[in-house]
């Protein structure tokens, strides 16, 4: 509602499907709608989602290929240098272990296998080992491969592209204005640089955010439009899972309804892009998880990096109960 006028979100969604790009103020209005209008927002978001993705759901599985021991001080992360969280720490997994994850990804009905490493940036050796594993995966399966290895140089991006990496994830995490409040060891611009290197190498860019880290409503809209400007093909929407031992362990800013409004806003701003409900889905959306799929068309299945997700069978059942279908092999 703006100036006492009740917005017809269904009409706006139809306009978006015809090429209209919503304004900053319209995106902010979505976040400020009262909770009782959430179903109207989701119905409108689904009109857009259905045009581009129908009722198909993409599943992604993460392998935590290198855990902990990161020199960065990201305040939300259990693997950071300043975290005291009790997590498992280990160097890069062997190629054999990474390859074994392919079968598990297929069992979980995932179409994309995500190889994730902690750390500021990969070494030359780590790039070679990951590239070697990717080449073998590409030769023996039809899984799509996404890597998330930290900051990349143009040379490392090219090596991953040559190996057959389909997509590279490097999140913006928060708004430019809020960045210094969640990290001091690198900048927002550093993250933009890596996304640029990925795109220049011909790899599909995956970049998203973590909501609930002290950002304003305006900051949330800023993130949506920043990702639009980046032309990220896949946009993971994480909702902060406060982890004991991290500086943000006491942050509990989100409600299930706010998460749903955020997802609707992201769909309106980035209508044709893959919107993925990522980390923190289970604890933040809680019993309203299924409703999020009316805006988003992708989720992670199984566990995340150092936090647990729900069992794959629960996700399959949720998708089936909505009348949606799993897209098992698509980028």
């Amino acid at each position: 509602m703006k100036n006492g006028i009740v917005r017809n979100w269904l009409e706006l969604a139809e306009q978006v499907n015809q090429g209209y790009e919503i304004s900053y103020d319209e995106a902010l209005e979505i976040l400020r709608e009262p909770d009782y209008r959430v179903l109207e927002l989701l119905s409108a978001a689904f009109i857009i989602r259905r045009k581009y993705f129908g009722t198909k759901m993409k599943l992604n599985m993460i392998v935590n290929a290198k855990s902990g021991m990161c020199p960065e001080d990201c305040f939300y992360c259990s693997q950071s240098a300043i975290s005291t969280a009790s997590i498992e720490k280990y160097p890069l997994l062997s190629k054999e272990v990474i390859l074994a994850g392919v079968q598990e990804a297929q069992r979980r009905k995932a179409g994309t296998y995500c190889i994730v490493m902690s750390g500021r940036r990969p070494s030359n050796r780590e790039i070679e080992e990951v590239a070697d594993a990717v080449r073998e995966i590409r030769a023996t399966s039809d899984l799509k491969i996404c890597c998330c290895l930290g900051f990349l140089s143009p040379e490392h991006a090219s090596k991953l592209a040559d190996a057959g990496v389909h997509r590279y994830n490097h999140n913006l995490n928060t708004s430019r204005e809020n960045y210094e409040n969640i990290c001091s060891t690198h900048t927002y611009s550093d993250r933009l640089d890596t996304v640029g290197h990925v795109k220049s190498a011909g790899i599909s860019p995956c970049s998203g955010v973590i909501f609930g880290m002290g950002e304003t409503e305006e900051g949330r809209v800023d993130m949506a439009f920043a990702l639009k400007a980046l032309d990220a093909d896949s946009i993971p929407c994480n909702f902060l899972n406060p982890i004991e031992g991290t500086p943000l362990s006491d942050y509990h800013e989100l409600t299930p309804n706010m998460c749903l409004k955020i997802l609707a806003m992201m769909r309106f701003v980035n209508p044709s892009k893959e919107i993925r409900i990522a980390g923190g889905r289970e604890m933040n959306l809680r019993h309203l998880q299924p409703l999020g799929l009316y805006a988003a068309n992708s989720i992670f299945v199984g566990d995340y990096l150092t936090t647990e997700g729900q069992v794959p069978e629960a996700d399959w059942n949720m998708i089936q109960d909505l009348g949606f279908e799993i897209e098992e092999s698509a980028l």
Side-chain angles (χ1 to χ4, degrees):
M1 181 182 295
K2 186 176 182 181
N3 299 324
I5 299 173
V6 177
R7 172 82 66 179
N8 188 323
W9 295 109
L10 297 178
E11 286 185 2
L12 188 62
E14 294 289 2
Q15 292 173 24
V16 169
N17 280 350
Q18 294 167 18
Y20 176 72
E21 297 183 1
I22 74 167
S23 69
Y24 184 97
D25 286 344
E26 287 168 331
L28 191 58
E29 192 178 341
I30 292 173
L31 298 183
R32 292 178 174 173
E33 281 284 62
D35 287 349
Y36 66 78
R37 296 204 72 192
V38 162
L39 289 180
E40 296 172 65
L41 290 171
L42 291 175
S43 182
F46 183 62
I47 289 174
I48 304 170
R49 181 221 199 276
R50 188 176 60 201
K51 174 182 177 179
Y52 293 99
F53 302 101
T55 56
K56 292 185 177 180
M57 284 297 307
K58 299 180 181 182
L59 303 186
N60 306 259
M61 191 194 95
I62 291 174
V63 58
N64 191 8
K66 178 184 176 182
S67 182
M69 304 175 288
C70 181
E72 304 300 290
D73 70 352
C74 303
F75 299 171
Y76 55 85
C77 184
S78 62
Q79 303 185 75
S80 76
I82 60 173
S83 168
T84 60
S86 178
I87 62 167
E88 192 175 3
K89 300 178 182 180
Y90 49 83
L92 180 62
L93 298 174
S94 68
K95 182 176 73 171
E96 291 70 26
V97 174
I98 293 174
L99 292 177
V102 170
Q103 290 184 341
E104 180 59 23
Q106 292 170 327
R107 186 194 74 79
R108 295 184 189 181
K109 303 182 182 181
T112 300
Y113 184 46
C114 306
I115 301 172
V116 183
M117 283 175 38
S118 64
R120 180 177 177 84
R121 65 175 67 251
S123 66
N124 291 335
R125 177 187 62 80
E126 288 169 334
I127 284 288
E128 293 296 342
E129 291 184 10
V130 170
D132 188 34
V134 169
R135 282 188 287 267
E136 190 158 339
I137 295 169
R138 291 294 309 274
T140 57
S141 81
D142 61 355
L143 276 179
K144 304 299 182 182
I145 306 301
C146 178
C147 287
C148 179
L149 315 177
F151 296 112
L152 282 189
S153 66
E155 295 75 22
H156 282 174
S158 293
K159 284 182 180 293
L160 294 176
D162 291 343
V165 171
H166 297 91
R167 181 166 282 168
Y168 194 87
N169 168 258
H170 198 69
N171 292 333
L172 298 185
N173 287 332
T174 194
S175 63
R176 185 186 291 273
E177 290 71 23
N178 194 46
Y179 211 86
E180 64 181 12
N181 296 322
I182 66 146
C183 182
S184 69
T185 49
H186 62 263
T187 66
Y188 182 90
S189 295
D190 291 332
R191 290 192 165 270
L192 291 177
D193 289 344
T194 284
V195 177
H197 297 329
V198 167
K199 294 174 70 173
S200 295
I203 298 175
S204 170
C206 171
S207 188
V209 292
I210 307 171
F211 295 103
M213 298 197 297
E215 75 280 356
T216 62
E217 289 179 332
E218 290 83 359
R220 291 169 184 169
V221 174
D222 288 341
M223 288 185 260
F225 279 92
L227 292 165
K228 179 180 180 179
L230 273 183
D231 197 25
D233 293 325
S234 179
I235 301 175
C237 295
N238 299 274
F239 301 108
L240 181 68
N241 183 350
I243 298 173
E244 186 177 351
T246 66
L248 301 188
S249 62
D250 293 329
Y251 275 51
H252 298 277
E253 300 181 348
L254 300 172
T255 65
N257 277 317
M258 177 50 69
C259 293
L260 292 173
K261 284 184 267 191
I262 288 170
L263 291 170
M265 183 270 293
M266 295 296 286
R267 174 58 68 200
F268 266 90
V269 176
N270 297 280
S272 66
K273 302 303 186 179
E274 177 182 327
I275 304 295
R276 182 184 315 136
I277 313 179
R281 161 167 65 99
E282 296 83 355
M283 73 161 295
N284 283 283
L285 283 165
R286 300 196 285 278
H287 296 298
L288 300 190
Q289 279 189 73
L291 294 180
L293 305 191
Y294 286 104
N297 66 296
S298 176
I299 57 173
F300 282 113
V301 60
D303 295 337
Y304 301 95
L305 293 174
T306 63
T307 57
E308 293 183 351
Q310 62 189 26
V311 296
E313 290 79 5
D315 287 331
W316 303 338
N317 291 337
M318 176 174 66
I319 292 166
Q320 183 179 27
D321 289 347
L322 288 168
F324 292 179
E325 58 183 312
I326 296 171
E327 186 176 320
E328 293 192 34
S329 235
L331 184 59

